[in-house]
Amino acid sequence: MGILASNTIDDFVEKAYPDMIAWRRKLHQMPETGWTEYVTTWYVYNFLAELGYTCFAGKEAVNSNERMGVPAAEFLEEAAERATEYGVPEDMLEKMDGGHTGVVAQLTTGRPGPHIALRFDIDGLPITESEEAGHKPYDKGFLSTREGFMHACGHDAHTAIGLTVARFLAEHKDELAGSFTLLFQPAEEGSRGAKAMVENGWLREVDAFLSGHIGIRNEKAGVMAARGVEFLATTKFDLRLHGVSAHAAAKPNEGRDALLAAAACAQTVAQIPPHPDGAIRAHIGTLQTGSGRNVVADTAFLEGETRGETSEVNKYVWKEVERRIHGAAEMHGVGAELKVVGEGVEAYCDTDFETWLETGSSASRWIERVDSEWPVQASEDAAIMINSVQQQGGIATYMLYGTALADGHHKPTFDYEEETLPVAAAALLHTISEYLHEKV
Ligand SMILES: [Zn+2]
């Protein structure tokens, strides 16, 4: 028995279901990549402010210096122009100027109780969405309106779930206790945004932290897991090589070949020996270099990442990457500029939530089955938030909401069952209700 009757939550979710679909589809049509979520930030901010939340956006929500992987100035300018065209007002654009996105919203019930924080990520991906029949967003007419950009990981769902939870909490404020902080986090892709929110202090003195993801595992909507396990630690990096150009036939000896150095870097990064304490990955995903057939390339740009089953193992991979890249650059006589642009850590969810979720869900018509844990086997920067809350004595979890997947995450035909939206909202609200019943 929670602090609220089970039907109060379930009926609310049922009524909100058509809205959730509408919000999700609207958000799906305007995907924005990390630190350029100008329109999404404005949309979320307005929604929450109207509900009575105390809202912080952009520069107020994130620590400017702790943002990782901020795009180039011209890309940010384009985003601001696009937002202006969309109707985002000047004062909001000012808050977001220079790639400061995301919203933090706070609600105090006025009754003593714990401080609960929830996190929802809001960014899309630089992927061109499929326009094939059979792809639901195409069939139903809610395709991305931005060529080259797509919500291909379900963060449109996460945002819609967040808005629903926010509305419930605001409307039932007088029946609840304690306080709530809702984090609509930018730049999850590439593990870039969580740290900037944590460093602004929003999770200080949080007693319970809830986060999650739809999909990951191909299950039907209604089935879910109380916590994710096997988060991979990761380091994302950019590498710039500076050589010296020369005529390839006349004066090759005067050149310092950034192309050969780049190739050597890519090869040696792929040859890092395994580690006895856990799986490793080291990968170069892009390599751009060269200006002409008969020219010794003077620059190269590479994007890569490392992963480790634990933070310790990832540290080992990253150290190897650094050593090998500097070695390869030295061998070719070129300069190497290695920059960390994203970071994820290992995380362990608290098991406490399972009981609350199970008790709550057993009385809910939205949730069919709750498993204890599912493996994530990917990196997720909510891990930084989970660790931060736990280090200060709070408890934290990352739930997984099952859905049949049309295709894998980050693919042009990625899609999910919208039936998972009410399941996720119900799971979060029932867990909160049970938790509050025990603590208050
Ligand atoms: Zn995702």
Side-chain angles (χ1 to χ4, degrees), residues 3 19 66 88 181 196 222 278 320 373 397:
I3 197 167
D19 290 338
E66 299 291 343
V88 179
T181 297
E320 276 296 306
E373 56 181 49
T397 198

Short mmCIF file of all heavy atoms in Angstrom, two decimals, residues 3 19 66 88 181 196 222 278 320 373 397:
data_model
loop_
_atom_site.label_atom_id
_atom_site.label_comp_id
_atom_site.label_asym_id
_atom_site.label_seq_id
_atom_site.Cartn_x
_atom_site.Cartn_y
_atom_site.Cartn_z
N ILE A 3 1.56 5.57 -0.51
CA ILE A 3 1.02 6.78 0.08
C ILE A 3 -0.23 7.21 -0.70
O ILE A 3 -1.09 7.93 -0.21
CB ILE A 3 2.10 7.89 0.12
CG1 ILE A 3 1.71 9.01 1.10
CG2 ILE A 3 2.38 8.47 -1.25
CD1 ILE A 3 2.84 9.95 1.43
N ASP A 19 -1.94 11.87 -24.35
CA ASP A 19 -1.01 13.01 -24.31
C ASP A 19 0.43 12.54 -24.48
O ASP A 19 1.23 13.15 -25.18
CB ASP A 19 -1.12 13.75 -22.97
CG ASP A 19 -2.44 14.50 -22.84
OD1 ASP A 19 -3.05 14.79 -23.88
OD2 ASP A 19 -2.85 14.78 -21.69
N GLU A 66 31.92 22.26 -17.01
CA GLU A 66 31.94 20.79 -16.90
C GLU A 66 31.23 20.13 -18.06
O GLU A 66 31.06 18.92 -18.09
CB GLU A 66 31.30 20.35 -15.57
CG GLU A 66 32.01 20.86 -14.33
CD GLU A 66 33.39 20.21 -14.13
OE1 GLU A 66 33.64 19.17 -14.75
OE2 GLU A 66 34.18 20.77 -13.36
N VAL A 88 11.36 30.36 -30.30
CA VAL A 88 11.91 30.42 -28.94
C VAL A 88 12.23 31.87 -28.62
O VAL A 88 12.96 32.52 -29.38
CB VAL A 88 13.18 29.54 -28.82
CG1 VAL A 88 13.76 29.62 -27.42
CG2 VAL A 88 12.87 28.09 -29.19
N THR A 181 13.10 16.86 -7.34
CA THR A 181 13.92 17.55 -8.34
C THR A 181 13.90 16.72 -9.62
O THR A 181 14.24 15.55 -9.60
CB THR A 181 15.38 17.72 -7.85
OG1 THR A 181 15.37 18.54 -6.68
CG2 THR A 181 16.25 18.37 -8.91
N ALA A 196 27.89 17.82 -15.99
CA ALA A 196 27.63 19.26 -15.91
C ALA A 196 26.44 19.56 -15.01
O ALA A 196 26.36 20.62 -14.39
CB ALA A 196 27.40 19.82 -17.30
N GLY A 222 5.31 -3.77 -20.92
CA GLY A 222 4.63 -4.31 -19.74
C GLY A 222 5.59 -5.10 -18.87
O GLY A 222 5.40 -5.25 -17.68
N GLY A 278 38.31 -7.80 -16.71
CA GLY A 278 37.06 -7.48 -17.39
C GLY A 278 37.27 -7.14 -18.85
O GLY A 278 38.39 -6.84 -19.28
N GLU A 320 46.55 3.09 -22.04
CA GLU A 320 47.17 2.45 -23.22
C GLU A 320 46.95 3.29 -24.47
O GLU A 320 47.86 3.47 -25.27
CB GLU A 320 46.56 1.05 -23.43
CG GLU A 320 47.20 -0.04 -22.59
CD GLU A 320 48.67 -0.27 -22.95
OE1 GLU A 320 48.95 -0.49 -24.15
OE2 GLU A 320 49.52 -0.19 -22.06
N GLU A 373 16.81 -7.72 -12.52
CA GLU A 373 17.85 -6.97 -13.23
C GLU A 373 17.99 -7.42 -14.67
O GLU A 373 17.71 -8.58 -14.99
CB GLU A 373 19.19 -7.15 -12.51
CG GLU A 373 19.59 -8.61 -12.35
CD GLU A 373 20.91 -8.81 -11.63
OE1 GLU A 373 21.08 -8.20 -10.55
OE2 GLU A 373 21.76 -9.56 -12.15
N THR A 397 18.66 4.12 -8.58
CA THR A 397 18.48 3.03 -9.53
C THR A 397 18.27 3.52 -10.95
O THR A 397 18.02 4.71 -11.19
CB THR A 397 17.33 2.08 -9.13
OG1 THR A 397 17.50 0.83 -9.85
CG2 THR A 397 15.97 2.65 -9.49
#
